[in-house]
Amino acid sequence: MEKYQALVSFILKNIGGRENVLSVTHCMTRLRFTLKDDSLVQKEALVKSSEIMSAQFAGGRFQVVVGTNVAEIFQVVQEQLGGKNAAPDEEKKGLVSALVDTITKVITPVLGILTASGLLQGILALLTATHILSINDGAYIILHAMGQAVFYFLPVTLGYTSAKAFKMNPFVGMMLGATLLIPELMTGLTSGDVLYTLFNGTLFQTPVYNTFFGIPILFPASGYQYTVIPIIFIVYVGSKIESWLKRMIPSVIAHNVTSFLTILITVPLTILIVGPITNVLSSLISAGVSGLYTISPIITSLAVALLYQPLVIFGLHWPISAIGITNLAQSGVDYIFPMSFTANFAQTAVVLAVFLRTRSKDQKTLAIPAMVSGLFCIIEPAIYGFSLPVKKRFAFSMIGGAVGSLILALSATKMYAMSFGILGFAAFINPETGSMNGLITAIIASIATAAVAFILTYMTFKSKEDVVQSEEKELVKTEFLISPLEGQIKPIESAADPSFASKALGNGFIIVPEKGEVVSPVSGVIKTVFPSGHAIGITSDTGIDVLIHIGIDTVELEGKGFKPFVKKGQTVTQGEKILEVDLKKVINAGYSVETFVTVTNSNQFLDILCQQNGSVKIKDKVMTVIPFNNQIESKNLAEVH
């Protein structure tokens, strides 16, 4: 660690000294400092260092991008801070930063099923509009239930993800959400004779139908179905209660009574205090945004459209999405999502313009998968590979997105489901009337968006922006990784292990194996074989670092059930058998066999696309790793992370 001492001293000096550091953590490439006084930071001095890729404020913290050796550098930071201010996992955050982090952790895992619901409702709207189905048909009833289930039971789903975010027993979180949906609460707490009315004559006027040991129960007339904010706060309170109980209850009886007492205490608090307060808060937020939209749809749509793409770069767009999800859940219609709907078409158009103008074979090669991804609303490859490196292109994309948003706002076009990209157009069909007006407007807006972004990029393209591949450097091609196991594949975000779910160990996927044979997903060199045999690290011939981690906490088995066939330094070919696992032995020992396959140096690549679900056979292609253009300076790219 000696070689990083000078670098760390330099960093600490230019962020105001050790005494200015409240806390510090790190991710895959950067140090994240929470500071007492942000004005003491000497950013220009930091970025001039050849050992620092970039430095910037984001999410209430100062981030110093130092590359993949960040873990070693972080250890030196801990040493120089004396350990008192360094925190590898937890840190003090500002309110906005903490809120964004929480919403991201809670909402991200359910995006897949929300999108699935959106597609189902879009298909149903299309079938109804074309008179293939009527609302009385059995097929309509079943499809409608499928599309609405995720929203009706949203508190249960978010109860689980919120509990994971707050490090609470996730099944207790689900119970808290499920309790809110019990039908007898609606019938028993919102009907019958009114005992009295609280806050009479005010905005918060609420009739009381029943009491809890004399305490008035303020239960919303619409219940908590289709809500987002209340369950997040409820689980947060429950997590604090559970944490307190774990400290107070003797371990010998904790297993049997902790969950019981957590539910017993939290549910009454929820119904009497937390629920009503957060329900009002949720209503106020929605009413505020709705009010702004009523006053000026144009200003609102332009603001969201112009801010959305920059917010995506920093992962700060989730609060906007949360409002849209709440609107859809409560009323089945939303005006927020249309404001950002055309953004992916703007980015895709920028890439198309570059594809047609560039003389670089490398750029042309990377443009095709970036455009395909963009059409399905995965815009990161377009942003990081094409628009941000030449910043005016990013501005053109923002302008194009704003044009489309303005068209949708002026026509008062709404969305009836959460779905984006080319599959999202069906979400503009009114499921009740079958009207296609919204769909037609959305198509026009998307074409206008793409046209503006394309023309501006195409007409302003300059030869000095063209990236010509050096003859001295070999073009790195897109690489495909195969499945090392046979089983069921799932997105990494759904991992039970938070380190993998947060992608702290790289982007990738999960496989729940059905057979114990493990093969190498790439051709390369074995870099690590853990003594317990439960994990193997491989570096491919093209520099992809792959980690295969079998199970959760299986290191505790001390090698029982694992039989490696390779050792460190050994060369392997793609598909070669490297490990055998006795799945029954691992499961019988009480351990999960959920297997994580990640690219640990994900930050060094433009994009990593993975199959998200379904059954996979051993050696099936399941991951695509797209490299950055060799000539794009990493320093420029690092500035946006």
Side-chain angles (χ1 to χ4, degrees):
M1 304 298 175
E2 187 65 30
K3 61 180 178 179
Y4 298 121
Q5 294 290 340
L7 172 61
V8 170
S9 297
F10 174 76
I11 292 172
L12 293 177
K13 175 184 176 182
N14 285 284
I15 61 172
R18 301 176 186 178
E19 62 278 2
N20 195 39
V21 179
L22 289 173
S23 64
V24 58
T25 185
H26 72 87
C27 64
M28 292 296 292
T29 61
R30 72 203 73 184
L31 300 166
R32 301 173 185 266
F33 292 94
T34 301
L35 304 174
K36 295 178 183 178
D37 186 351
D38 293 342
S39 66
L40 298 179
V41 171
Q42 303 295 321
K43 179 180 174 181
E44 292 183 3
L46 287 166
V47 296
K48 287 180 180 178
S49 170
S50 60
E51 297 180 90
I52 296 174
M53 298 179 184
S54 178
Q56 63 182 15
F57 282 99
R61 290 167 287 180
F62 186 64
Q63 302 182 8
V64 182
V65 183
V66 292
T68 55
N69 294 324
V70 65
E72 298 175 40
I73 297 172
F74 177 74
Q75 291 182 32
V76 179
V77 172
Q78 287 182 303
E79 293 173 4
Q80 293 202 15
L81 290 176
K84 61 180 180 180
N85 293 322
D89 295 316
E90 300 292 338
E91 62 190 277
K92 295 180 181 179
K93 300 177 182 179
L95 179 61
V96 174
S97 178
L99 180 62
V100 170
D101 285 352
T102 299
I103 292 175
T104 300
K105 290 177 182 177
V106 172
I107 299 293
T108 300
V110 302
L111 286 180
I113 58 174
L114 287 171
T115 301
S117 172
L119 292 175
L120 281 168
Q121 293 181 72
I123 292 171
L124 188 61
L126 188 60
L127 292 174
T128 306
T130 54
H131 303 292
I132 295 175
L133 290 179
S134 71
I135 60 173
N136 296 318
D137 290 337
Y140 177 94
I141 295 170
I142 293 173
L143 289 171
H144 185 264
M146 291 165 59
Q148 288 295 313
V150 64
F151 289 110
Y152 185 90
F153 294 104
L154 200 56
V156 179
T157 307
L158 296 183
Y160 180 87
T161 58
S162 297
K164 299 278 284 186
F166 297 130
K167 299 181 179 179
M168 179 188 185
N169 183 334
F171 297 103
V172 173
M174 292 177 67
M175 279 290 295
L176 296 177
T179 302
L180 297 177
L181 305 182
I182 295 293
E184 63 189 72
L185 287 181
M186 284 287 293
T187 57
L189 302 180
T190 61
S191 61
D193 296 330
V194 177
L195 299 179
Y196 47 86
T197 301
L198 292 178
F199 314 115
N200 197 16
T202 71
L203 177 65
F204 307 107
Q205 178 174 313
T206 306
V208 176
Y209 295 90
N210 218 322
T211 65
F212 182 80
F213 295 110
I215 303 173
I217 300 173
L218 307 180
F219 201 85
S222 58
Y224 290 98
Q225 297 94 332
Y226 310 104
T227 59
V228 175
I229 292 179
I231 187 61
I232 296 176
F233 279 87
I234 288 164
V235 174
Y236 173 76
V237 171
S239 70
K240 297 301 181 183
I241 293 172
E242 182 187 72
S243 178
W244 176 76
L245 289 171
K246 285 181 177 179
R247 293 194 303 270
M248 301 299 294
I249 298 174
S251 58
V252 68
I253 62 171
H255 179 74
N256 295 320
V257 302
T258 300
S259 295
F260 161 69
L261 290 175
T262 300
I263 295 172
L264 182 65
I265 297 171
T266 306
V267 169
L269 279 176
T270 291
I271 294 176
L272 296 174
I273 301 174
V274 182
I277 291 175
T278 54
N279 192 57
V280 169
L281 176 63
S282 178
S283 299
L284 287 175
I285 293 173
S286 296
V289 177
S290 179
L292 179 62
Y293 182 79
T294 302
I295 294 172
S296 179
I298 296 176
I299 293 176
T300 307
S301 63
L302 285 176
V304 172
L306 290 172
L307 288 173
Y308 182 78
Q309 294 181 59
L311 289 175
V312 168
I313 296 173
F314 297 101
L316 301 177
H317 58 295
W318 295 113
I320 295 176
S321 299
I323 296 172
I325 292 171
T326 300
N327 291 339
L328 285 174
Q330 293 181 339
S331 61
V333 63
D334 174 61
Y335 53 85
I336 289 292
F337 286 132
M339 298 177 188
S340 59
F341 180 81
T342 60
N344 64 294
F345 297 107
Q347 286 288 343
T348 303
V350 167
V351 179
L352 177 61
V354 174
F355 175 81
L356 295 176
R357 291 296 304 269
T358 184
R359 292 175 290 121
S360 168
K361 293 181 179 179
D362 195 359
Q363 286 272 278
K364 288 183 179 293
T365 299
L366 294 175
I368 294 174
M371 285 188 287
V372 173
S373 297
L375 290 175
F376 289 91
C377 205
I378 302 172
I379 61 176
E380 285 78 5
I383 290 176
Y384 297 132
F386 293 88
S387 60
L388 266 176
V390 182
K391 294 178 176 57
K392 66 180 180 182
R393 297 176 188 168
F394 192 79
F396 296 156
S397 178
M398 292 171 59
I399 294 171
V403 169
S405 178
L406 187 60
I407 292 173
L408 292 170
L410 289 172
S411 59
T413 301
K414 307 294 193 299
M415 290 182 73
Y416 301 90
M418 179 182 172
S419 187
F420 295 94
I422 59 175
L423 298 177
F425 286 109
F428 288 92
I429 303 174
N430 190 322
E432 295 183 1
T433 65
S435 172
M436 295 283 193
N437 293 337
L439 171 62
I440 295 171
T441 305
I443 293 173
I444 294 172
S446 298
I447 292 173
T449 288
V452 169
F454 176 86
I455 292 171
L456 289 174
T457 304
Y458 190 92
M459 297 302 293
T460 61
F461 190 95
K462 297 179 180 178
S463 58
K464 66 180 181 180
E465 299 168 0
D466 201 357
V467 182
V468 182
Q469 187 63 32
S470 170
E471 295 180 359
E472 298 178 0
K473 293 188 176 182
E474 180 183 356
L475 176 62
V476 179
K477 301 293 185 181
T478 296
E479 185 165 348
F480 297 97
L481 277 66
I482 64 172
S483 174
L485 288 150
E486 179 175 329
Q488 298 296 314
I489 193 168
K490 301 191 298 182
I492 194 70
E493 293 86 355
S494 65
D497 187 313
S499 296
F500 285 99
S502 66
K503 297 185 181 180
L505 297 174
N507 198 355
F509 57 89
I510 300 169
I511 288 185
V512 180
E514 296 171 355
K515 293 183 180 180
E517 181 182 0
V518 183
V519 303
S520 176
V522 294
S523 294
V525 178
I526 301 295
K527 289 297 183 182
T528 306
V529 178
F530 283 73
S532 58
H534 76 291
I536 294 178
I538 310 167
T539 298
S540 77
D541 294 336
T542 55
I544 302 172
D545 293 334
V546 183
L547 173 65
I548 303 172
H549 189 288
I550 312 291
I552 301 174
D553 296 329
T554 46
V555 65
E556 298 174 3
L557 289 173
E558 299 180 346
K560 297 175 183 177
F562 297 93
K563 184 181 179 181
F565 292 96
V566 292
K567 59 184 179 180
K568 183 177 179 180
Q570 181 177 331
T571 300
V572 293
T573 58
Q574 190 176 56
E576 180 179 341
K577 185 174 181 179
I578 58 175
L579 177 67
E580 192 172 90
V581 185
D582 188 333
L583 298 177
K584 289 184 179 179
K585 181 177 287 188
V586 176
I587 293 171
N588 290 338
Y591 294 90
S592 167
V593 293
E594 188 174 75
T595 297
F596 313 101
V597 182
T598 65
V599 174
T600 57
N601 59 340
S602 298
N603 62 295
Q604 297 180 18
F605 300 96
L606 174 65
D607 199 11
I608 295 174
L609 307 176
C610 306
Q611 181 176 330
Q612 294 295 296
N613 50 60
S615 299
V616 293
K617 298 290 185 182
I618 204 166
K619 301 182 183 180
D620 281 355
K621 290 182 179 179
V622 292
M623 180 189 285
T624 304
V625 178
I626 305 173
F628 283 117
N629 185 301
N630 285 351
Q631 297 288 10
I632 295 177
E633 295 183 4
S634 61
K635 190 169 185 176
N636 289 339
L637 292 170
E639 290 176 357
V640 305
H641 285 267

